[in-house]
Amino acid sequence: MLDLGRYVARRFVSMIITLWFVITITFFLMHSIPGGPFSREKALPEKVLEALNEKYHLNDPLWKQYTDYLQGVVVLDFGPSFSRPGIFVWDKIQEGFPISAKVGGIASLFVIIAGIPAGVISALYQNKLPDYIVTVIATVGVAVPSFVVATLFIYVFSEKLMLVPAYGLEEIKSYIGPTIALAGFSLSFVARLSRSSLLEVMQQDYIRTARAKGLSELSVIFKHAIKNSLIPVITYMGPTIASILTGSFVVERIFAIPGMGKLFVESVGNRDYTMIMGTTIFYAAFAIIMIFLVDIAYGIIDPRIKLGD
């Protein structure tokens, strides 16, 4: 327990340092971009531009803007939006994230429920028909981009067959398209990763020892092989779930979902610096937390892994 506490304390410190690096790099990169948040094709009058810079404290020295921003991040204050007067960045994140997380949660569950069993079946039936079917489908899933999957889904199931709505999330069946588009690549990759990992584990000495002791093949596979083969899959799933839950700007754009992905794209198009920084920092923090949870899961799945060490 003491080792685990020390490990968590060390990881917490490293997480804070990592997040600080992300905030710092993002801040200075945004301020190094030519132009400004109020640069337009038609230039604003000089007095208006000066008033806006004064209002948002852009006339302050860069070091002061940086320290003020850090103080705001600590209390989840990412500042006001430059392109949406009266709207604060954290409010928009709170509004968009639950929508992205709902779609992403379903997609992540789909990846786990379908991807891992598909990989296991493929490995158990190596060089047989089920293996060939899973391999072909997984290869296609990895090769075809999500925007192609989303576009084809809308064309076939929404426009031609009219089985599901093309846009929005008004109905339960509206989640089918975004879920498939979001989960397609990850599901295929997890299936391939599960297959290769299980095949590798099945060649290990302790598997041969388990068989030599007279354990049934079912017990060897489910109690020993599959459990240990999941470690690479969990390593991949941590940042992947973070990415899926925080939204895909391509999928959300195609299906007109008002989530985090759409918010990020619009903020880039509007040169909304505070919104870009806020969404980037939020994603980074979420990814760091998911990677930490993955490390904790290692110790649960494989007791040989000692987190304290």
Side-chain angles (χ1 to χ4, degrees), residues 209-217:
T209 301
R211 285 171 172 162
K213 288 181 177 180
L215 294 178
S216 66
E217 189 66 16

Side-chain angles (χ1 to χ4, degrees), residues 109-176:
L109 192 62
F110 184 43
V111 170
I112 295 171
I113 291 177
I116 295 176
V120 170
I121 291 172
S122 181
L124 295 180
Y125 292 91
Q126 185 182 13
N127 297 326
K128 295 181 181 179
L129 183 60
D131 183 25
Y132 297 143
I133 294 174
V134 172
T135 300
V136 169
I137 295 175
T139 302
V140 172
V142 170
V144 179
S146 59
F147 70 87
V148 174
V149 175
T151 304
L152 286 175
F153 182 90
I154 291 176
Y155 177 75
V156 175
F157 294 99
S158 299
E159 298 298 328
K160 293 299 182 182
L161 301 179
M162 293 185 286
L163 295 176
V164 295
Y167 309 104
L169 298 172
E170 301 298 328
E171 305 175 38
I172 295 179
K173 57 185 179 181
S174 302
Y175 288 86
I176 298 175

Side-chain angles (χ1 to χ4, degrees), residues 56-128:
Y56 292 107
H57 303 285
L58 298 178
N59 290 330
D60 293 344
L62 191 58
W63 66 266
K64 188 176 187 309
Q65 294 184 49
Y66 173 66
T67 54
D68 289 344
Y69 190 75
L70 279 180
Q71 292 173 7
V73 170
V74 172
V75 294
L76 298 179
D77 180 7
F78 297 101
S81 169
F82 287 162
S83 63
R84 298 176 175 87
I87 300 297
F88 286 84
V89 174
W90 181 242
D91 293 336
K92 292 299 293 182
I93 292 176
Q94 286 181 302
E95 179 183 320
F97 176 67
I99 299 173
S100 294
K102 192 173 182 179
V103 178
I106 297 172
S108 299
L109 192 62
F110 184 43
V111 170
I112 295 171
I113 291 177
I116 295 176
V120 170
I121 291 172
S122 181
L124 295 180
Y125 292 91
Q126 185 182 13
N127 297 326
K128 295 181 181 179

